[in-house]
């Protein structure tokens, strides 16, 4: 069966992980991807994962520094649908392949840019290494306290590159949809910096709420809710020294867990009967009971009990390649094997999601350098020069046409809960989709005990949505929802298998109502297979697919045979939960939103809807794509050091005289520039540090030398000095929320924009992840439960009397919009 992108020609000028993953998704779903490399090749070809990122593509060598190379590139652009590049701002213009040049040659061209820092701002010229971006934006400082030392911690999972790759894909697909109407392409811009925003779950909002409403949102409220190991999310050590992550967020699941491990009796005790909502003393007493109990059986024994029970969310801590061997991952076909001429049998991540009617297919091995140059040049020579199409001419001047978001006119029903599904829908709302957020009534179907912490996060997850409350378990409620299904383009849910049928929103029911509907299920494990009925939440893929162990550093957890006291177990439990963090949810959101865009493109071509299945397992395997590959002789993956400063002396955090810096000095030219800028020619001349291999062999000595240099002056000084020299050395002592509010780089890229909530008043929310040259974003406030119920019911034709009667009977509901008092 054809993929959604069949027939599309993509010219890929990008280097590294973000561009590689973006065009990998397009290639997997049918696009003809031509990777253009300089004569020396993509500098990241030396990365062991490069062969996984670039499967199914072609390679052509063009020297863009020559007139002939630029001429060939222009001819390719004439014939292409998409061009992708990841250069620093200004470089593409010097090479003659910038948007202005190529769009003049081909007005239908979709030109996508993935930069490190954005196209504007004082930091835009810096090399866009993820470590530097994560450090300066504040993501590393948000991990402060993970290790028992002062200062920020290195962030191991390359979330910015992963999210940026998918933002680029969504932007490209959105313009493809609009091009059928306008005949013209656009410039799609995103950056690693912008794509740190998905991982700020509530930092920006909480900074404001604690100032504006301190009684309702004390400064430590969110930290107590999600940054410490809640009992529901407790990591435990088993009898055989293995570590097991739990994710029983819902109250009923936590109580099922207690019963499964033989602690059900605590629920009969007065002090524990409201578990997991407990006072400090009771909570810590129950923590000790759990940690001691879990040491009575081995990991295998506990997993057997959990599987038989079916209502306990838990998985062991594993590195990515080990997690990819999990029986559910294998059942889903999430991994693929490719015969690669360089390494033999390569195992790596397969298709991003399962699309029922246009599934796509992973292609063959990554190309050798220039393997397809002659073929590409013949293609150029054999085709006549392109002419501006009639559609492009008819729509040639769009300047005076009122601009709407690219996905304006599409409608989505969002039944999903927590973060992975809701945030995916919120990202599409930012691009113009009208999203109805449907919550159960009169109260939520499941109680989530996070101490009130969901309210700030929901300002983000409900952003731009119309929130309605409908009782899905009543015939009248289902009738209301079916009316909306008939009018919608997309339905998203994350109910466990069997629940959609009971609520009458399953795929078979929906397709009878609306054959054009795209029906999306996002789950921890998937809809079939040995684990499909088990519950799951974000710590599950975080632990199983390697993210948490990478973040924990080389020394954690201790070896299985090392004896540990209860206090030591508590400390490792704390560290592992901090390392697991919240990124697995937004990692999954990226896969969900991209998959929906692929299905929308397929529907534009076929006129038919289809069912989509996205798993948290696969979303997080892709997010760990720099580790998610295996072959005989695979080099060991480089983990952060034991204290999570970084990967090596030239890619790590250092304390300065005042504050912290992060140094990202990857290539020889950058090393030489560093030595010159800090006036240490002796380091450049030192035989121990003469080349990359020598520096690797003497890494500790080099780190000590560099540490002495940075200790002499402030972090601010080093950023100014080394940035001017073209070396990515940045301050690392701001929080992400502060960066978004205060830094000129964030302002230049509109990363925090003002909106107004009926409940919270004016506040600044996250900006757009994608900028389009000819289409605005739609950045609106985060709605509260039922905020738009009445408006939507009237739109469906219900009278005010009918609406009041349905509310009185508990069929629909809404909360009153009471404004919280502001601090004086």
């Amino acid at each position: 069966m054809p993929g959604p992108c069949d027939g599309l020609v993509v010219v890929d000028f990008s280097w590294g992980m973000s561009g590689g993953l973006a065009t990998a998704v397009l290639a997997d779903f049918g696009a003809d991807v031509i990777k253009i490399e300089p004569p020396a090749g993509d500098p990241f070809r030396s990365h062991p994962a490069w062969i996984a990122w670039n499967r199914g593509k072609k390679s052509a060598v063009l020297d863009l520094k020559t007139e002939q190379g630029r001429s060939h590139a222009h001819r390719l652009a004439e014939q292409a649908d998409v061009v992708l590049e990841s250069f620093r701002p200004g470089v593409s213009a010097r090479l003659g392949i910038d948007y202005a040049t190529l769009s003049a040659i081909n007005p239908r061209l979709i030109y996508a840019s993935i930069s490190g820092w954005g196209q504007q701002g004082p930091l835009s010229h810096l090399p866009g290494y993820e470590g530097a971006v994560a450090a300066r934006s504040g993501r590393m400082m948000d991990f402060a306290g993970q290790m028992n030392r002062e200062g920020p911690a290195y962030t191991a999972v390359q979330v910015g590159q992963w999210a940026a790759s998918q933002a680029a894909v969504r932007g490209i697909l959105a313009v493809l949809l609009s091009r059928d109407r306008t005949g013209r392409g656009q410039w799609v811009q995103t950056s690693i910096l912008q794509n740190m925003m998905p991982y700020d779950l509530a930092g920006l909002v909480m900074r404001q709420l604690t100032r504006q409403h301190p009684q309702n949102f004390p400064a430590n409220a969110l930290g107590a809710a999600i940054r410490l190991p809640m009992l529901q999310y407790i990591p435990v050590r088993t009898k055989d020294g293995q570590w097991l992550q739990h994710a029983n967020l819902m109250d009923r699941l936590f109580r099922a867990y207690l019963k499964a491990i033989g602690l059900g009796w605590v629920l009969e005790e007065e002090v524990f009967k409201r578990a997991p909502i407990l006072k400090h003393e009771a909570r810590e007493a129950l923590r000790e009971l759990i940690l001691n109990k879990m040491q009575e059986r081995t990991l295998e024994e506990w997993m057997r009990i959990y599987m038989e029970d079916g209502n306990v969310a838990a998985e062991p801590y594993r590195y990515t390649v080990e997690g990819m061997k999990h029986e559910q991952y294998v059942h889903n076909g999430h991994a693929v094997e490719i015969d690669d001429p360089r390494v033999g049998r390569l195992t790596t991540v397969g298709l991003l999601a399962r699309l029922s009617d246009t599934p796509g297919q992973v292609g063959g091995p990554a190309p050798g350098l220039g393997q397809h140059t002659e073929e590409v040049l013949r293609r150029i020579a054999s085709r006549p020069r392109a002419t501006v199409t009639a559609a492009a001419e008819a729509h040639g001047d769009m300047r005076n046409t009122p601009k709407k978001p690219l996905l304006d006119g599409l409608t989505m029903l969002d039944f999903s809960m927590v973060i992975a599904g809701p945030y995916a829908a919120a990202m599409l709302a930012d691009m113009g989709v009208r999203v109805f957020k449907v919550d159960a009534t009169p109260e939520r179907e499941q109680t989530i005990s996070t101490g009130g912490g969901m309210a700030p996060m929901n300002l983000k997850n409900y952003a731009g949505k119309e929130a309605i409350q409908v009782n899905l378990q009543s015939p009248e409620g289902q009738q209301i929802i079916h009316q909306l299904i008939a009018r919608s383009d997309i339905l998203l849910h994350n109910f466990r298998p069997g629940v959609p049928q009971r609520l009458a929103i399953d795929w078979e029911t929906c397709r009878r109502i609306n054959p054009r509907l795209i029906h999306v299920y996002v789950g921890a494990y998937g809809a079939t297979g040995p684990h499909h009925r088990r519950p799951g939440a974000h710590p599950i893929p975080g632990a199983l697919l390697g993210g948490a162990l990478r973040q924990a550093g080389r020394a954690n957890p201790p070896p299985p045979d090392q004896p540990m006291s209860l206090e030591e177990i508590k400390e490792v439990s704390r560290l592992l939960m901090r390392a697991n963090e919240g990124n697995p949810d937004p990692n999954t959101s990226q896969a969900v939103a991209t998959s929906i865009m692929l299905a929308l493109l397929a529907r534009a071509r076929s006129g038919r809807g289809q069912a989509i299945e996205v798993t948290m397992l696969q979303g997080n395997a892709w997010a760990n794509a720099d580790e998610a590959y295996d072959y005989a002789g695979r080099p060991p993956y480089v983990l952060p050091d034991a204290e999570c400063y970084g990967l090596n002396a030239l890619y790590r955090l250092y304390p300065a005289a005042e504050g912290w810096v992060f140094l990202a000095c990857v290539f020889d030219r950058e090393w030489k520039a560093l030595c010159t800028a800090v006036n240490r020619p002796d380091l450049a001349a030192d035989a121990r540090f003469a080349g990359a291999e020598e520096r690797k062999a003497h890494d500790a000595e080099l780190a000590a030398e560099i540490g002495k240099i940075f200790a002499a002056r402030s972090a601010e000084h080093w950023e100014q000095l080394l940035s001017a020299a073209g070396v990515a050395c940045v301050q690392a002592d701001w929080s992400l929320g502060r960066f978004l509010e205060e830094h000129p780089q964030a302002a230049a890229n509109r990363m925090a924009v003002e909106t107004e909530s009926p409940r919270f008043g004016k506040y600044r929310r996250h900006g757009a992840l994608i900028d389009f040259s000819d289409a605005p974003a739609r950045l609106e406030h985060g709605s509260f439960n039922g905020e738009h119920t009445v408006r939507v019911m009237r739109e469906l034709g219900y009278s005010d009397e009918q609406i009041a009667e349905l509310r009185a009977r508990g069929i629909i509901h809404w909360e009153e919009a009471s404004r919280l008092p502001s601090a004086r």
Side-chain angles (χ1 to χ4, degrees), residues 693-717:
E693 289 303 315
E694 291 82 0
R695 292 192 289 271
K696 181 178 179 181
H698 298 278
D699 188 72
E701 299 157 78
L702 181 56
E705 292 287 349
I706 295 174
K708 294 174 188 176
I709 294 170
F710 288 139
R713 303 292 292 270
S714 70
E716 183 178 4
H717 167 82

Side-chain angles (χ1 to χ4, degrees), residues 413-415 436-445 466-484 495 503 505 785-790 792-793 796 798 806-807 810-814:
L413 289 173
D414 176 16
F415 294 91
F436 296 108
K437 179 67 185 77
V438 185
D439 286 306
T441 185
E443 296 179 356
R444 290 190 64 168
E445 184 182 41
E466 297 176 48
I468 63 176
Q469 287 186 284
V470 180
N471 187 341
L472 299 173
Q473 300 193 52
S474 67
E476 296 95 330
Q478 293 175 7
Q479 183 180 4
I480 292 167
I481 292 303
H482 287 176
Q483 292 178 69
L484 289 171
F495 297 115
L503 303 180
I505 59 167
N785 284 351
E787 180 179 342
H788 305 92
T789 301
V790 173
V792 172
M793 293 296 290
L796 290 175
Y798 290 85
L806 287 169
R807 188 188 193 196
I811 306 301
I812 62 173
H813 191 69
W814 61 88

Side-chain angles (χ1 to χ4, degrees), residues 508-545:
E508 293 302 324
T509 298
C510 289
R511 73 193 302 184
R512 288 195 296 270
I513 298 170
N514 180 357
R516 287 177 52 82
L517 187 76
I518 294 163
H519 189 275
V520 189
Y521 166 54
V522 54
Y525 295 102
T528 63
H531 296 254
H532 79 284
R533 291 193 178 275
R534 295 183 64 211
H538 83 268
I540 294 298
L544 185 62
L545 270 304

Side-chain angles (χ1 to χ4, degrees), residues 150-185:
E150 294 184 355
Y154 176 74
T155 47
V157 181
Q158 307 296 287
V159 295
Q161 295 197 76
W162 161 239
S165 76
Q166 297 313 287
V169 174
R170 293 193 300 274
I172 289 166
L173 297 175
V175 180
L176 280 167
L177 289 171
S178 75
R179 193 177 70 173
D180 290 342
R181 302 189 305 273
T182 67
R184 295 189 67 87

Side-chain angles (χ1 to χ4, degrees), residues 474-676:
S474 67
E476 296 95 330
Q478 293 175 7
Q479 183 180 4
I480 292 167
I481 292 303
H482 287 176
Q483 292 178 69
L484 289 171
I485 289 171
R487 303 176 177 208
S488 295
D489 301 281
I490 308 151
L491 185 150
L492 170 65
H493 78 88
N494 60 354
F495 297 115
R496 280 200 276 172
V499 176
Q501 286 79 3
R502 294 201 299 271
L503 303 180
I505 59 167
D506 56 289
W507 170 229
E508 293 302 324
T509 298
C510 289
R511 73 193 302 184
R512 288 195 296 270
I513 298 170
N514 180 357
R516 287 177 52 82
L517 187 76
I518 294 163
H519 189 275
V520 189
Y521 166 54
V522 54
Y525 295 102
T528 63
H531 296 254
H532 79 284
R533 291 193 178 275
R534 295 183 64 211
H538 83 268
I540 294 298
L544 185 62
L545 270 304
L549 284 184
R550 294 171 68 185
Q551 185 61 48
R554 296 174 196 170
N556 294 295
D561 58 353
Q562 177 176 317
M564 296 182 69
S565 69
L566 181 60
E567 290 306 310
E568 289 171 331
I569 290 173
K570 284 183 183 179
E571 171 56 19
V572 174
S573 176
R574 179 203 65 80
L575 187 150
L576 288 175
M577 190 60 237
R578 283 298 307 275
N580 212 340
E581 206 230 354
N583 70 73
D585 263 330
N587 282 344
T588 305
S589 302
Q590 309 307 316
V592 174
T594 297
S595 302
I596 290 169
M597 293 302 305
L598 287 165
L600 285 170
L601 181 63
R603 191 185 69 168
R605 296 177 165 195
S606 70
R608 299 190 305 274
Q610 60 180 307
I612 300 175
E613 179 185 306
V614 186
T615 71
M616 298 185 77
L617 299 183
Q618 188 69 325
N620 282 273
W622 271 82
N624 288 286
D626 55 335
E627 190 192 355
Y629 61 93
D630 195 23
Y631 51 80
R634 175 189 190 267
Y637 187 81
V638 180
L639 293 169
D641 62 87
E643 291 294 321
C644 276
Y645 288 109
L647 301 182
N648 56 60
L650 295 178
Y651 202 84
R652 60 160 281 177
L653 292 155
Y654 288 95
E658 296 177 24
W660 288 75
V661 295
F662 185 88
L663 174 66
C665 188
V666 176
F667 295 109
D668 274 343
R669 65 179 183 276
E670 295 166 338
W671 162 243
K672 294 173 182 176
L674 171 68
C675 294
T676 299

Side-chain angles (χ1 to χ4, degrees), residues 201 418 422 444 453-463 782-783 785:
L201 300 184
V418 193
R444 290 190 64 168
M454 287 300 292
M457 284 190 279
N458 279 345
L459 278 176
K460 178 178 183 177
N461 296 325
Y462 281 49
S783 56
N785 284 351

